[in-house]
Amino acid sequence: MSSDEIRALMSAARNDRLTWNTPLCDEHAARLVAACAPEPGARIADLGSGWGELLMRLVESAPGSTGDGVETDPEAVARGRALAGERGLAERVRFHEVPAAEWPGEDYDLAVSIGASHAWPGGTTEALAALRAAVRPGGRVLFGEGFWEREPDERALAGLGARPDDFGSLLELIRHAEAAGLRPLQVTVADQREWDLFESHANIGLGERWALAHPDHPLRDGVVAAVDERRTGYYGGYRGTLGLAYLVLGA
């Protein structure tokens, strides 16, 4: 039984029930787009874009704007290119299979990175510095990052495979942004319903649906075990402890 095969079966990029690979709903996303307020002709970059749903909505909101989606997962890149083609955005949204920390683009009007700070060796602080460097003076940054809603206990840390210092408080996250030369314009947090739907539709739900549809598959027991581990980690561990904040920042 191959753990790589199980991970491939549970790939987020293959999961058509996921609009976003993050706890987010359409109404919340619309508020983020409005707060970023890209102007007509804006240049936008999404570093760690996944399949670029938020990038495409930002581009759609601003006539003549263009977007660069920077992503290393080839399945996510393929899904993003297909979606851009379906929405008539193939000439305006381009995907680049390059590590976010190696992307050389600069002078963007808006730089986005949601849940991708691990792409930089220095994590949150280096990611914020890179985003600040990617935008022109007066530009905007949209940064999505985890934070501890309350002090994590051992079950929460085990469920995430995390250490206590992997995240700080929400205020500490805001202070990191300020230290990078960015001013918070809007701060919102994924609510519990967004988290529950994300976890239900992502690994847990995808794995359960696959196992039910393939009762005799040789990978079934491994998929069920992976689903149970994720379910235990979330509901018995980090639910209500790990938060996800979306910071709209001015440069």
Side-chain angles (χ1 to χ4, degrees):
M1 183 182 300
S2 167
S3 58
D4 289 340
E5 289 178 288
I6 292 170
R7 279 194 294 271
L9 285 171
M10 299 173 74
S11 163
R14 296 184 184 183
N15 187 345
D16 59 8
R17 296 202 178 193
L18 284 181
T19 301
W20 327 91
N21 194 19
T22 186
L24 190 64
C25 68
D26 284 346
E27 186 273 338
H28 194 166
R31 289 183 179 274
L32 295 177
V33 171
C36 290
E39 297 181 353
R43 296 178 63 244
I44 305 169
D46 189 338
L47 305 181
S49 64
W51 51 86
E53 179 65 33
L54 188 55
L55 175 62
M56 284 184 269
R57 295 198 188 195
L58 286 160
V59 167
E60 287 171 332
S61 76
S65 62
T66 57
D68 289 310
V70 181
E71 174 58 52
T72 57
D73 180 356
E75 289 190 336
V77 168
R79 178 174 174 179
R81 287 172 176 161
L83 286 171
E86 292 169 7
R87 290 153 77 161
L89 296 173
E91 297 303 314
R92 295 173 60 194
V93 177
R94 302 294 181 89
F95 288 87
H96 312 271
E97 204 169 317
V98 176
E102 297 177 13
W103 182 246
E106 57 185 12
D107 291 326
Y108 286 101
D109 299 289
L110 171 64
V112 179
S113 185
I114 306 295
S117 63
H118 57 274
W120 286 268
T124 300
T125 54
E126 188 174 340
L128 285 164
L131 292 165
R132 174 64 185 86
V135 297
R136 61 170 177 79
R140 296 287 185 269
V141 167
L142 171 56
F143 185 58
E145 180 65 301
F147 69 96
W148 295 130
E149 291 193 353
R150 62 188 182 196
E151 186 174 349
D153 59 21
E154 290 302 319
R155 291 195 310 167
L157 294 171
L160 286 165
R163 302 171 302 180
D165 61 355
D166 282 345
F167 303 101
S169 69
L170 180 55
L171 180 58
E172 288 172 325
L173 178 58
I174 292 169
R175 295 295 187 231
H176 283 310
E178 292 172 335
L182 297 163
R183 301 301 303 173
L185 304 176
Q186 176 178 289
V187 178
T188 56
V189 173
D191 65 27
Q192 195 61 67
R193 182 174 179 272
E194 287 175 307
W195 266 108
D196 288 343
L197 287 174
F198 172 63
E199 292 290 344
S200 293
H201 290 163
N203 290 337
I204 295 171
L206 178 63
E208 289 288 15
R209 291 190 298 274
W210 186 91
L212 286 169
H214 301 85
D216 300 317
H217 197 284
L219 290 178
R220 180 188 178 280
D221 289 347
V223 170
V224 169
V227 167
D228 185 63
E229 181 179 4
R230 180 70 175 224
R231 181 184 289 114
T232 300
Y234 178 58
Y235 293 105
Y238 60 90
R239 184 181 188 273
T241 300
L242 179 67
L244 196 291
Y246 299 97
L247 278 61
V248 179
L249 305 159

